[in-house]
Amino acid sequence: MKNLATLTFLFVLSVSAFAQSSGKISGKVSYGGNNSPLHEALVRIVQLNRSVETNEDGGYEFTDVPAGRYTIIAHQDGFGDSTKTIVFVNGAVSVIDFTLNLVGVKEQVTVTAAGTEQSAFDSLQSVSTVDSNKILERAGVGLGDVLDKESGVAKRTFGPGNSRPVIRGFDGDRVLVSTDGVRAGSLSSQSGDHGEPIDTLSVERIEVVKGPGTLLYGSNAIGGVVNAISGHDEGFHSGTRGYFSTLGGINNKQAGISGGIEQGYKNFMFWANGSGQRSGDYQAGKGFGNVQNTFTRNANANGGGGYFKNKFFATGNYRFYQSRYGIPLDFREEDPELRSLKIKSRDYKFTGGLRDLDSFITGAKFTVNYTDYKHEEIVGNAVGTTFRNKVLSYRGFFEQKRYGGLTGRFGFEGYQRKYNTVGDETLVVGLVKQNSFAAFALQEYSFRRVTLQFGGRVENNRFRPENVSNPNRDFTAFSGAIGARIALWEGGAVVVNYTNSTRTPALEELYNNGPHDGTLFFEVGNINLKKERSNGVDFSLRHQQGRVRAEFNTFYYDIKNFVFLAPTGEIDEESGFEIAEFSQGDTRYYGNEFNLDVTANKYLSFTSGLDYVNAKLKSGTPLPRIPPFRARLGFDAHYKDFSVRPELVLVNRQGRTFTNETPTAGYGVFNIAASYVLPSKHFANIFSVNAYNLTNKLYFNHISAIKDISPEIGRGLRVSYTIRFF
């Protein structure tokens, strides 16, 4: 609490900034394929929170710009963002031009890592971004499939319809999945067969923050954050923008369609999009044949509008998501059970805020979101179990005025959750209510070559089960962090972070008591669980200049009272599952990540990456389902608007196994992606082909609890087409 009081004192002192003489920044934004101008692209000076749109010739201009060090970002829907950092002196006139690309190696921008837009290179946390074009090219059915190629990210899967990202070996409730910073409201964190209700074909990009995101996003972000960005919260634009996409695949008879439109008129903006996707049973490699009952079906509809004034904005949005997918049949059984899951999720979101205020608080954003989530577990043709999860989330976020080198943001957030299950797999008898509230602050102080970041979060969680046999539990915890980014040379920097993070036990870990098909255990909750406490250090060395982009990350986390599901060796007679109890022990995680992109010439660039994580209890037992060492090698050969990108993915054998877990053999997979862009002044046509597992390798995902009956997909081909208009 002393740290929070200190931050509050700093806020009160921050009441004005020094007057400085001003200058002008102007330039042009163009498409890199043919250098044609991009009109209505958004150009933003991050530190000043000022934005302008480009004109018909791609030109933009900022006037009355005070002296300072600024990051300037150029953005156009569907294109990769471009960032430039300048040191602007009093009264200067600077010309800064930007080139945006649709495919290939791109600069990355994040709004997730620090709660405000900045380049990934400047971020104090390691961030990966997957844009809409790359999402469509990968054409993964589940969220985990889309992100599986990102450094430090693997996928947990119980079939293709429910894949979920695993960050640095952290899974489940330790990874927060959100849309525009609001938690998804799903139940996928505590069950391998539950999917995330996020339609990847409709989002503008997906950001992955690796490492603790607990300060801004809560105790269940102790491993990282996955944030799907719709783009609707990022401001007003005039005119019409939109897209139409379609895709198809031959291995699993995949087909999908997606479209969306945005219309800005005067101070109003309206949007709508929708999508549908289906796939059949897929074939595994080397003669394994079909993995039966792995079909997927999903549909998504989204619409809303907003009012944008100079210093005020308000938006409303409604989203409906529906999915049905099969759980792979266990061919080892004499009479395997036919199971599938049906998900329905409705979201109602209201956002409002203030900006460009001439006061201590320069901007504020308030969000209220209500999610009504239901999924049914279907056995044969009958509903076996129904899960309901209703979540009301709210968040207030404030930007404070710069005072010398000090800037920052602070806020509050909370949610009210109502959870219950009914049917054969009733894990918790009766309704359980969870109430959470938190206050947080994140501050930055910049010197010439050094940026310091520090912050804290106080969070309270209260669990109130209606079943009198389950006691109430209350948890209050503090998380804090301090980090530094030091510029070493032109385009080079080192980043060091220390975090002290707290995770509250999940509702399911406290109260579950029943058979769970998603974990293949009879789960026994533990009402006496304590808070997890993690001390972590992240180190990053980065270079982004000229022809070379490189990033090396290493991390170490020491976690006390780590919650895990411990098998007892006893069998529940009715379900046939082994009984497992939620237990706690001290653990440690450490690992490394490396990415290198080198542009040899205007026709050829090379890409490579690797990731490794080692996690075990301090007693010496490895933790379950930890990703093995992985390396990626590839190159991008391109000529004008045509690009070919072969890639080799090598995965080591995983022999460090938990109780009852079996080793998984290593493998190598060869893929080739290609794309062609046909641009014009107001349109961009994008054709892509993704040929994967070309050697038809039979391989298994170590993180899957059912890997032995559902190997990964064999040789296949996906094609897609997108037209964007702007």
Side-chain angles (χ1 to χ4, degrees):
M1 295 302 294
K2 290 182 179 179
N3 289 347
L4 190 60
T6 302
L7 294 176
T8 304
F9 178 70
L10 288 172
F11 298 155
V12 175
L13 289 179
S14 305
V15 294
S16 63
F18 296 106
Q20 296 174 320
S21 57
S22 58
K24 183 174 74 172
I25 299 175
S26 62
K28 183 178 179 179
V29 180
S30 58
Y31 167 56
N34 59 7
N35 292 320
S36 60
L38 288 175
H39 77 288
E40 294 182 2
L42 190 70
V43 183
R44 181 167 181 253
I45 303 177
V46 174
Q47 289 78 3
L48 299 179
N49 197 25
R50 291 177 56 185
S51 302
V52 295
E53 286 188 344
T54 58
N55 58 29
E56 282 291 319
D57 297 321
Y60 74 92
E61 181 178 278
F62 291 98
T63 58
D64 300 323
V65 180
R69 182 181 183 273
Y70 300 121
T71 299
I72 307 175
I73 297 172
H75 169 83
Q76 174 69 288
D77 291 353
F79 292 77
D81 292 343
S82 180
T83 69
K84 293 190 178 181
T85 300
I86 65 168
V87 177
F88 194 72
V89 299
N90 291 340
V93 176
S94 294
V95 177
I96 309 293
D97 294 329
F98 292 92
T99 300
L100 304 186
N101 293 295
L102 285 157
V103 296
V105 178
K106 305 174 185 178
E107 298 174 46
Q108 294 187 337
V109 173
T110 174
V111 298
T112 307
T116 188
E117 194 172 27
Q118 62 182 175
S119 70
F121 181 78
D122 290 333
S123 169
L124 267 75
Q125 286 187 275
S126 180
V127 182
S128 296
T129 299
V130 182
D131 63 39
S132 57
N133 294 321
K134 192 179 293 185
I135 291 171
L136 191 68
E137 179 184 288
R138 295 176 181 179
V141 176
L143 181 64
D145 292 291
V146 171
L147 299 176
D148 187 36
K149 289 185 176 182
E150 297 304 300
S151 178
V153 183
K155 67 173 181 178
R156 182 201 72 193
T157 177
F158 221 85
N162 50 44
S163 65
R164 191 179 195 268
V166 174
I167 303 177
R168 292 180 172 177
F170 290 99
D171 189 12
D173 190 61
R174 297 176 182 87
V175 173
L176 176 68
V177 176
S178 63
T179 300
D180 292 326
V182 177
R183 61 187 62 244
S186 73
L187 296 174
S188 71
S189 63
Q190 287 297 319
S191 183
D193 60 352
H194 295 181
E196 285 288 355
I198 292 179
D199 177 59
T200 57
L201 297 182
S202 297
V203 299
E204 182 177 299
R205 66 185 186 276
I206 301 173
E207 297 180 2
V208 181
V209 177
K210 292 171 282 188
T214 50
L215 292 190
L216 293 181
Y217 299 99
S219 64
N220 58 334
I222 198 169
V225 180
V226 176
N227 191 19
I229 308 294
S230 69
H232 303 314
D233 282 356
E234 296 187 345
F236 173 83
H237 66 77
S238 57
T240 304
R241 296 182 188 177
Y243 75 96
F244 172 80
S245 300
T246 184
L247 64 91
I250 61 172
N251 180 297
N252 56 353
K253 300 178 182 178
Q254 183 180 2
I257 189 171
S258 181
I261 189 169
E262 292 181 346
Q263 177 67 51
Y265 176 71
K266 294 185 177 179
N267 297 114
F268 293 92
M269 192 164 76
F270 303 94
W271 57 81
N273 58 52
S275 67
Q277 189 174 185
R278 56 90 62 206
S279 67
D281 294 348
Y282 70 85
Q283 290 188 335
K286 293 296 182 186
F288 185 92
N290 283 357
V291 181
Q292 297 183 43
N293 200 43
T294 54
F295 73 91
T296 67
R297 306 283 188 273
N298 63 59
N300 176 78
N302 182 83
Y307 177 77
F308 297 82
K309 197 66 174 173
N310 291 337
K311 296 188 177 183
F312 169 79
F313 67 93
T315 68
N317 191 83
Y318 169 76
R319 184 178 72 95
F320 174 77
Y321 177 89
Q322 179 174 291
S323 176
R324 178 143 183 203
Y325 55 87
I327 302 300
L329 286 183
D330 190 345
F331 57 84
R332 301 168 300 186
E333 296 180 356
E334 200 170 295
D335 186 20
E337 188 176 68
L338 188 67
R339 294 179 58 240
S340 62
L341 275 77
K342 185 177 182 180
I343 292 175
K344 286 186 178 180
S345 179
R346 294 177 173 87
D347 286 89
Y348 308 83
K349 187 175 72 169
F350 301 92
T351 303
L354 303 170
R355 55 192 174 191
D356 300 331
L357 302 178
D358 187 18
S359 65
F360 159 60
I361 295 175
T362 60
K365 181 179 179 181
F366 303 93
T367 302
V368 178
N369 186 87
Y370 177 72
T371 299
D372 185 357
Y373 172 92
K374 179 179 78 170
H375 84 244
E376 297 171 331
E377 300 193 350
I378 301 170
V379 182
N381 294 316
V383 176
T385 311
T386 299
F387 289 72
R388 297 297 298 263
N389 197 46
K390 298 182 179 182
V391 182
L392 175 64
S393 302
Y394 54 92
R395 182 179 177 91
F397 195 77
F398 304 89
E399 291 275 355
Q400 67 193 64
K401 192 171 186 177
R402 179 178 293 274
Y403 181 75
L406 180 68
T407 187
R409 54 214 64 94
F410 59 96
F412 63 87
E413 71 172 345
Y415 63 90
Q416 298 175 353
R417 175 187 179 192
K418 296 180 180 179
Y419 165 79
N420 72 306
T421 62
V422 178
D424 300 336
E425 197 178 291
T426 301
L427 295 171
V428 182
V429 177
L431 182 72
V432 181
K433 297 180 181 179
Q434 180 182 356
N435 288 287
S436 176
F437 180 79
F440 57 87
L442 188 66
Q443 300 290 290
E444 290 184 3
Y445 194 91
S446 298
F447 303 91
R448 183 180 177 185
R449 300 179 66 86
V450 178
T451 298
L452 298 178
Q453 189 179 84
F454 53 94
R457 180 187 183 95
V458 177
E459 180 177 321
N460 176 263
N461 281 277
R462 292 171 290 161
F463 298 92
R464 297 293 182 265
E466 289 187 350
N467 186 347
V468 295
S469 63
N470 289 328
N472 297 339
R473 291 299 309 272
D474 293 351
F475 299 90
T476 300
F478 175 80
S479 295
I482 185 169
R485 180 184 180 279
I486 305 169
L488 300 178
W489 59 81
E490 184 68 24
V494 62
V495 179
V496 181
N497 283 290
Y498 165 75
T499 56
N500 184 283
S501 301
T502 301
R503 173 181 171 267
T504 297
L507 182 154
E508 296 84 353
E509 295 167 346
L510 292 168
Y511 300 118
N512 272 8
N513 188 21
H516 197 173
D517 287 329
T519 60
L520 305 180
F521 286 115
F522 185 100
E523 295 183 6
V524 179
N526 185 347
I527 60 174
N528 297 311
L529 290 176
K530 302 176 182 178
K531 295 173 291 188
E532 290 183 357
R533 173 68 70 178
S534 170
N535 287 285
V537 177
D538 287 78
F539 173 88
S540 179
L541 184 63
R542 304 170 185 171
H543 176 82
Q544 183 175 304
Q545 187 74 14
R547 297 175 179 268
V548 179
R549 302 184 185 200
E551 181 174 354
F552 170 75
N553 301 312
T554 186
F555 57 89
Y556 181 90
Y557 306 125
D558 185 289
I559 307 176
K560 297 186 182 300
N561 301 319
F562 183 88
V563 179
F564 62 98
L565 199 56
T568 64
E570 301 177 7
I571 302 297
D572 174 62
E573 293 183 1
E574 184 174 346
S575 67
F577 287 153
E578 183 176 0
I579 298 173
E581 300 175 345
F582 282 102
S583 185
Q584 292 187 291
D586 294 344
T587 68
R588 60 105 181 99
Y589 280 70
Y590 68 83
N592 304 289
E593 298 151 2
F594 177 69
N595 289 291
L596 175 65
D597 298 315
V598 178
T599 301
N601 52 51
K602 67 177 182 178
Y603 303 113
L604 185 65
S605 59
F606 295 91
T607 63
S608 63
L610 60 85
D611 48 49
Y612 168 78
V613 61
N614 186 305
K616 66 180 180 180
L617 295 165
K618 289 189 176 179
S619 63
T621 304
L623 289 174
R625 291 188 283 277
I626 298 300
F629 172 85
R630 178 178 59 176
R632 173 179 50 86
L633 302 169
F635 65 87
D636 181 355
H638 42 267
Y639 178 72
K640 294 185 177 180
D641 293 308
F642 180 71
S643 170
V644 179
R645 300 177 296 282
E647 175 189 60
L648 177 64
V649 179
L650 302 171
V651 179
N652 197 26
R653 177 181 184 271
Q654 180 57 286
R656 300 187 304 275
T657 57
F658 187 63
T659 306
N660 295 347
E661 190 180 19
T662 59
T664 305
Y667 58 88
V669 177
F670 182 59
N671 312 308
I672 297 179
S675 58
Y676 177 70
V677 180
L678 185 63
S680 63
K681 186 173 183 179
H682 295 284
F683 295 91
N685 297 273
I686 310 165
F687 304 86
S688 67
V689 177
N690 180 10
Y692 53 88
N693 194 4
L694 289 174
T695 62
N696 205 29
K697 180 73 175 180
L698 177 64
Y699 67 102
F700 301 84
N701 177 16
H702 182 75
I703 307 176
S704 171
I706 56 170
K707 62 178 182 178
D708 295 331
I709 65 171
S710 59
E712 295 299 292
I713 195 167
R715 182 190 295 120
L717 180 74
R718 297 188 182 104
V719 296
S720 66
Y721 165 72
T722 295
I723 181 171
R724 294 191 175 276
F725 49 94
F726 40 83

